[in-house]
Amino acid sequence: MARRRIVIALGGNALLKRGEPMTVANQRENVRIAARAIAPVTADNDLVISHGNGPQVGLLALQAAASGQHTPLDVLGAETEGMIGYMIEQELGNLVPFERPFATMLTMVEVEPNDPAFQNPTKPIGPMYTREQAALLSKEKGWTVAEDGAGWRRVVPSPLPKRIFEMRPIKWLLEHSTIVICAGGGGIPTMYRPDGTLAGAEVVIDKDRASAVLAREVGADLFVMATDVPGVYADWGTSKHRLLRRTTPAELRALRFASGSMGPKVEAAIAFVEETGRRAAIGSLEEIERIVAGEAGTIVEPE
Amino acid sequence: MARRRIVIALGGNALLKRGEPMTVANQRENVRIAARAIAPVTADNDLVISHGNGPQVGLLALQAAASGQHTPLDVLGAETEGMIGYMIEQELGNLVPFERPFATMLTMVEVEPNDPAFQNPTKPIGPMYTREQAALLSKEKGWTVAEDGAGWRRVVPSPLPKRIFEMRPIKWLLEHSTIVICAGGGGIPTMYRPDGTLAGAEVVIDKDRASAVLAREVGADLFVMATDVPGVYADWGTSKHRLLRRTTPAELRALRFASGSMGPKVEAAIAFVEETGRRAAIGSLEEIERIVAGEAGTIVEPE
């Protein structure tokens, strides 16, 4: 098969599994598992890897708070791009020939100050709490909290990514078949001040949405979202639920998804496929090699 | 003057002044000052910017510890490359034309497991303590502590940088006149395990030494170390002390410097000049423009 340009977005939950203690050792072990899954597709493809940071950005926020400090979400996002990007570069680097170049790049992403998401925080970050803990934290820290699966979590605004600032360097590196790790955590959230200078924003951008922008901008042949489920299910929660193997933006639009995790993935897949006429895929991290070969996951194709 | 390739190493203490509270706001203000100093030299030169991370890596270690967690120094180093690199990219980006590309790259640096520095920790990180606090922390946490100026600080091993792994991408980006921010904090410390895989190391590499390797590898015409003093003084601590305006490796070798801050800078300057036959400079952050023009700081030239 001809060499392809592939963007793989690694789910934050794939890197730190739900319920696992947020230790560096656990994160590294999960990154190692992800690296093993990705390594087989490195040889014949040009690769861009992005990743989530929901659990990690919340963890670093708590660490700062435990020292009596406030670190804004843009700076925390930058810290997580360092922490997670490093582990991915090192662990994947241990599995591919030394000659293959790697670059992990900090990525600033622009959001609009008037994005309605600022009024409606939806993105869960940090650890799970009980309902009582969450209510207390909301009162003490002014957090917005919301249910997320079996527990409660802090939620922050998640405005739409409008632009990735470092696109030219990313493309130059891809021309040399560099494996580029970027747009971690959806990118470092930034927005323009009225005076025209760029500043950080106290939000977390959805990494699947940002990765769709990234995949479009690098001209990806395939955009893969790797998560902890085998793909997109129709009729989920009913006895008739079935994995969609091949689908289209139109078919996906007719289905309903929870706003939590699968919703943004489906939306990102639709956006990429409609804007580029190329394919997107959603599936399990362990099956990346088969997803890239078109043999697993949910493949979203143009009509 | 012809376009030159310049590596500027920003001192960690220039980014977070001694005695200042380690808040994000203070760091950003100091990065802004550094960006204003660097902006005038961006137009006519290709630029690589590295930076220290001593105060910041210690701060993040304390934040993790306050949450009852241990984050190893390689991961903390990666976090500080994210935090500080982001601020430099954003603040300097606000002062140069939008068209100029920027890339902040995580940088892994190799150290040797048998480096004698592992037996002799010398690199101060984190905040200042009183002698009594330091003694208590040493007992409680197993830290090595040492005097640093007016107080006491935790010290960690600082082995020599042997190799920067991401050199090819850095050079490819420079070919496009990208302003590259990299090797922050002396790079993320890594070393090979007996099985040939790369792992993190619990050390902090001296950023001037790592920047000298970086400057040599990118073929820099000039290697500038920006700090909080006007340059290198001869006869320091005596009534005859005088700023060296132009000097040579041989003249510097004949002088004595404290091992704290100026020692590694002088050593890095000597190494770069002797290995490349090009010039190095040590001087004040505020005077970078004049240092680059050869009008301020201490210029170290080949014999």
Side-chain angles (χ1 to χ4, degrees):
Chain A
M1 190 179 274
R3 195 170 186 88
R4 290 187 295 169
R5 188 169 280 193
I6 302 177
V7 171
I8 299 178
L10 295 173
N13 293 326
L15 297 177
L16 191 56
K17 308 213 184 319
R18 286 172 196 276
E20 258 184 18
M22 294 203 278
T23 63
V24 170
N26 281 340
Q27 290 186 64
R28 204 178 255 287
E29 185 50 37
N30 290 323
V31 168
R32 209 167 276 150
I33 292 168
R36 272 189 223 119
I38 294 170
V41 305
T42 55
D44 298 327
N45 300 292
D46 290 332
L47 220 60
V48 183
I49 300 170
S50 67
H51 58 83
N53 76 343
Q56 294 82 1
V57 80
L59 173 70
L60 294 187
L62 288 175
Q63 290 184 350
S67 297
Q69 283 164 324
H70 171 72
T71 307
L73 286 169
D74 58 324
V75 175
L76 291 171
E79 290 176 19
T80 65
E81 285 194 349
M83 171 175 66
I84 304 169
Y86 157 58
M87 291 191 199
I88 295 173
E89 179 174 334
Q90 190 176 70
E91 296 296 342
L92 188 56
N94 278 335
L95 300 176
V96 305
F98 183 79
E99 293 66 33
R100 186 72 180 270
F102 275 85
T104 306
M105 277 186 50
L106 298 190
T107 317
M108 298 195 298
V109 174
E110 184 186 359
V111 302
E112 300 275 7
N114 58 359
D115 191 303
F118 279 95
Q119 314 308 324
N120 179 30
T122 54
K123 175 83 185 167
I125 64 170
M128 288 278 184
Y129 300 105
T130 65
R131 177 204 280 265
E132 293 70 28
Q133 287 172 324
L136 190 66
L137 287 164
S138 171
K139 201 169 153 189
E140 279 180 357
K141 296 181 189 276
W143 289 355
T144 305
V145 295
E147 260 186 299
D148 181 37
W152 287 68
R153 289 171 82 188
R154 178 182 176 196
V155 288
V156 298
S158 191
L160 294 178
K162 306 305 288 182
R163 162 159 61 173
I164 297 172
F165 287 100
E166 294 84 357
M167 280 317 309
R168 287 173 300 164
I170 292 168
K171 285 192 260 190
W172 292 328
L173 293 174
L174 280 171
E175 286 166 12
H176 293 273
S177 286
T178 306
I179 296 178
V180 180
I181 300 160
C182 65
I188 305 167
T190 64
M191 58 188 180
Y192 280 106
R193 296 189 190 93
D195 71 0
T197 59
L198 196 65
E202 276 272 26
V203 305
V204 173
I205 299 168
D206 182 81
K207 74 107 185 24
D208 294 311
R209 286 184 184 136
S211 300
V213 174
L214 176 68
R216 185 188 70 205
E217 294 291 313
V218 299
D221 300 296
L222 175 64
F223 168 38
V224 179
M225 284 168 274
T227 181
D228 51 4
V229 294
V232 183
Y233 286 85
D235 302 316
W236 183 249
T238 76
S239 59
K240 297 186 299 177
H241 79 269
R242 61 200 163 83
L243 180 67
L244 296 173
R245 280 286 299 119
R246 296 194 170 258
T247 183
T248 63
E251 187 180 11
L252 287 172
R253 278 189 205 284
L255 301 171
R256 276 192 164 279
F257 298 98
S259 66
S261 177
M262 192 50 83
K265 283 183 177 45
V266 167
E267 185 196 306
I270 291 173
F272 176 76
V273 173
E274 289 190 337
E275 284 164 12
T276 67
R278 300 203 181 92
R279 293 189 306 155
I282 299 171
S284 165
L285 175 63
E286 289 78 22
E287 294 192 295
I288 283 184
E289 190 176 5
R290 295 184 56 228
I291 293 169
V292 166
E295 296 163 3
T298 297
I299 311 288
V300 187
E301 300 172 305
E303 319 288 310
Chain B
M1 189 179 274
R3 193 170 189 89
R4 289 187 294 170
R5 188 169 281 194
I6 302 176
V7 171
I8 299 178
L10 296 172
N13 292 326
L15 298 178
L16 191 56
K17 308 215 183 319
R18 284 171 196 278
E20 259 184 17
M22 293 203 280
T23 63
V24 170
N26 281 340
Q27 289 186 65
R28 203 177 254 288
E29 185 51 35
N30 290 324
V31 169
R32 208 167 276 151
I33 292 168
R36 274 189 220 117
I38 295 170
V41 305
T42 55
D44 300 326
N45 300 292
D46 289 331
L47 221 61
V48 183
I49 301 169
S50 67
H51 58 83
N53 77 343
Q56 293 82 2
V57 80
L59 173 70
L60 294 186
L62 288 175
Q63 290 184 350
S67 297
Q69 283 163 324
H70 171 73
T71 307
L73 287 169
D74 59 323
V75 175
L76 291 171
E79 292 178 18
T80 65
E81 286 195 347
M83 172 174 66
I84 304 170
Y86 157 58
M87 290 191 200
I88 295 173
E89 177 174 335
Q90 189 176 70
E91 296 296 342
L92 188 57
N94 279 334
L95 301 176
V96 305
F98 183 78
E99 292 66 32
R100 187 71 179 269
F102 275 84
T104 306
M105 276 186 50
L106 298 190
T107 317
M108 298 195 299
V109 174
E110 184 186 0
V111 302
E112 299 276 6
N114 58 358
D115 190 305
F118 280 95
Q119 313 309 325
N120 179 29
T122 55
K123 174 84 185 166
I125 64 169
M128 289 278 186
Y129 300 104
T130 64
R131 176 203 281 266
E132 293 71 28
Q133 286 171 326
L136 190 66
L137 286 163
S138 172
K139 200 168 153 189
E140 279 181 356
K141 295 179 191 276
W143 290 354
T144 305
V145 296
E147 260 186 299
D148 182 37
W152 287 68
R153 289 170 81 189
R154 178 183 177 193
V155 289
V156 298
S158 190
L160 293 178
K162 305 307 287 182
R163 162 159 62 171
I164 297 172
F165 287 99
E166 295 84 355
M167 280 318 308
R168 288 173 299 163
I170 291 168
K171 286 193 259 190
W172 292 327
L173 293 174
L174 280 171
E175 286 167 11
H176 293 274
S177 285
T178 306
I179 296 177
V180 180
I181 300 160
C182 64
I188 304 168
T190 64
M191 58 189 180
Y192 280 105
R193 297 188 189 93
D195 70 1
T197 60
L198 196 64
E202 278 272 26
V203 304
V204 172
I205 299 168
D206 181 81
K207 74 109 183 23
D208 294 311
R209 286 186 184 135
S211 299
V213 174
L214 176 67
R216 184 189 71 204
E217 293 292 313
V218 299
D221 301 295
L222 176 65
F223 168 37
V224 179
M225 284 169 273
T227 181
D228 51 3
V229 293
V232 182
Y233 287 84
D235 301 318
W236 184 247
T238 76
S239 59
K240 297 186 297 175
H241 78 267
R242 59 196 164 85
L243 180 66
L244 296 173
R245 281 286 298 121
R246 294 191 172 264
T247 183
T248 63
E251 187 179 10
L252 286 172
R253 277 188 206 285
L255 301 171
R256 275 193 164 277
F257 298 97
S259 67
S261 176
M262 193 51 82
K265 283 182 177 46
V266 166
E267 184 197 304
I270 291 172
F272 176 76
V273 173
E274 289 190 337
E275 285 165 11
T276 67
R278 301 204 181 92
R279 293 188 307 155
I282 299 171
S284 165
L285 176 63
E286 290 77 22
E287 294 193 296
I288 283 185
E289 191 177 3
R290 295 183 57 227
I291 294 169
V292 166
E295 297 163 3
T298 296
I299 311 289
V300 187
E301 299 171 306
E303 319 288 308

